[in-house]
């Protein structure tokens, strides 16, 4: 599969209409990946969908899936999402017993492997193992809900990951998720993000295709400031 080039815009279907999912997936056909938030009401205080629903989303989506697992015991569940055919599966560092081993399993099955960190989680432990992952997701809100405000205090962490990746010649993608909009995306791009999740900023727009294009243009402008 040809991978989309940076900057990548991944609309979060958490902001879609769950009973009109097919139509709402069709509306993001010009974006890069459909971001699928799996929540278990345990790792986060909210509940969305599981493998059965994600399998139907996979079969219906015009673009590849970027699955974000906000669940405990990802060792038990993450491989199933890779087997369904998700292009990318991201689990939380805070929840994984052995993140590198899990990433290797996901890659073996054939998906990209991502690891996510909550706003308060340090990232230094990832420096030595950057290339074990295809994507590092720096949460820019506390995971659990859409529509929250971007937390600028997460940017130094993103900058340190971007610097480390550059130093090591790593091609790992740096993703941000939470509160990404026309007014914050340039800032995150300037700090080193190349992959952007946006829920309310995309699905809340009157013209979704135009919103995706505008976010991509703003991210491109921001990355030039980096
Ligand atoms: C939050 C989810 C996000 C959420 C983002 O826990 O991981 O993907 O959908 O929503 P917005 O873009 O509205 O902040
Ligand atoms: Zn997410």
């Amino acid at each position: 599969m040809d991978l989309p080039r940076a900057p990548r815009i991944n609309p979060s279907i958490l902001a879609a209409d769950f009973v009109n999912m097919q139509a709402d997936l069709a509306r993001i056909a010009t974006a890069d990946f459909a971001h699928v938030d799996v929540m278990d009401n345990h790792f986060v205080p909210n509940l969305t969908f599981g493998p059965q629903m994600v399998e139907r989303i996979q079969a219906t989506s015009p673009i590849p899936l970027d699955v974000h697992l906000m669940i405990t015991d990802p060792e038990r569940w993450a491989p199933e999402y890779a087997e369904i055919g998700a292009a990318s599966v991201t689990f939380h560092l805070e929840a994984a017993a052995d993140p590198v081993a899990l990433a290797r399993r996901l890659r073996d099955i054939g998906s990209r492997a991502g690891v996510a960190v909550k706003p308060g989680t340090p990232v230094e432990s990832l420096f030595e193992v950057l290339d074990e992952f295809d994507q590092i997701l720096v949460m820019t809100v506390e995971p659990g809900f859409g529509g929250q405000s971007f937390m600028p205090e997460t940017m130094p962490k993103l900058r340190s990951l971007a610097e480390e990746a550059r130093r090591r010649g790593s091609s790992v993608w740096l993703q941000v998720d939470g509160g990404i909009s026309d007014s914050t995306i340039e800032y995150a791009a300037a700090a080193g993000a190349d992959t952007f999740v946006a829920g309310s900023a995309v699905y809340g727009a009157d013209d979704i295709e135009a919103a995706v294009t505008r976010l991509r243009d703003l991210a491109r402008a921001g990355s030039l400031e980096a």
Side-chain angles (χ1 to χ4, degrees):
M1 180 180 83
D2 272 353
L3 291 166
R5 299 241 294 270
R8 287 163 285 263
I9 305 298
N10 301 0
S12 169
I13 59 166
L14 186 63
D17 178 350
F18 282 18
V19 295
N20 286 303
M21 194 53 88
Q22 185 163 13
D24 271 0
L25 286 165
R27 295 167 79 201
I28 57 168
T30 62
D32 295 294
F33 292 84
H35 183 82
V36 180
D37 288 306
V38 173
M39 305 186 189
D40 66 352
N41 200 25
H42 192 258
F43 183 75
V44 289
N46 195 3
L47 186 64
T48 55
F49 21 67
Q52 211 182 344
M53 179 68 177
V54 176
E55 191 165 12
R56 291 296 298 142
I57 293 169
Q58 165 72 30
T60 309
S61 177
I63 53 176
L65 301 193
D66 170 40
V67 174
H68 176 195
L69 300 175
M70 283 159 276
I71 61 171
T72 49
D73 199 9
E75 275 81 6
R76 162 72 180 81
W77 296 104
E80 206 169 319
Y81 292 92
E83 272 152 20
I84 285 167
S88 175
V89 177
T90 297
F91 57 86
H92 267 266
L93 181 63
E94 302 86 357
D98 186 342
V100 168
L102 183 52
R104 288 181 183 169
R105 266 175 78 196
L106 293 171
R107 281 176 163 179
D108 281 349
I109 298 169
S111 82
R112 292 173 59 83
V115 66
V117 287
K118 297 205 264 188
T121 303
V123 289
E124 285 73 19
S125 69
L126 295 173
F127 288 175
E128 282 301 316
V129 289
L130 274 191
D131 282 322
E132 296 282 351
F133 302 97
D134 298 297
Q135 160 170 297
I136 297 176
L137 164 53
V138 173
M139 288 302 299
T140 42
V141 298
E142 286 299 338
F145 299 92
Q148 304 181 75
S149 300
F150 176 81
M151 295 169 65
E153 58 269 39
T154 57
M155 292 296 98
K157 212 162 63 175
L158 181 59
R159 248 177 248 117
S160 72
L161 278 168
E163 242 163 63
E164 197 61 28
R166 217 172 1 243
R167 218 170 56 77
R168 292 172 187 263
S170 163
S171 55
V172 68
W173 294 0
L174 298 179
Q175 184 178 60
V176 284
D177 180 8
I180 298 299
S181 68
D182 287 2
S183 52
T184 57
I185 195 166
E186 275 187 84
Y187 193 40
D194 52 36
T195 307
F196 304 84
V197 177
S200 29
V202 170
Y203 279 104
D206 292 330
D207 184 338
I208 286 191
E209 199 176 320
V212 168
T213 303
R214 197 170 52 241
L215 286 168
R216 211 180 260 132
D217 289 346
L218 288 167
R220 203 168 279 130
S223 65
L224 296 176
E225 294 158 25

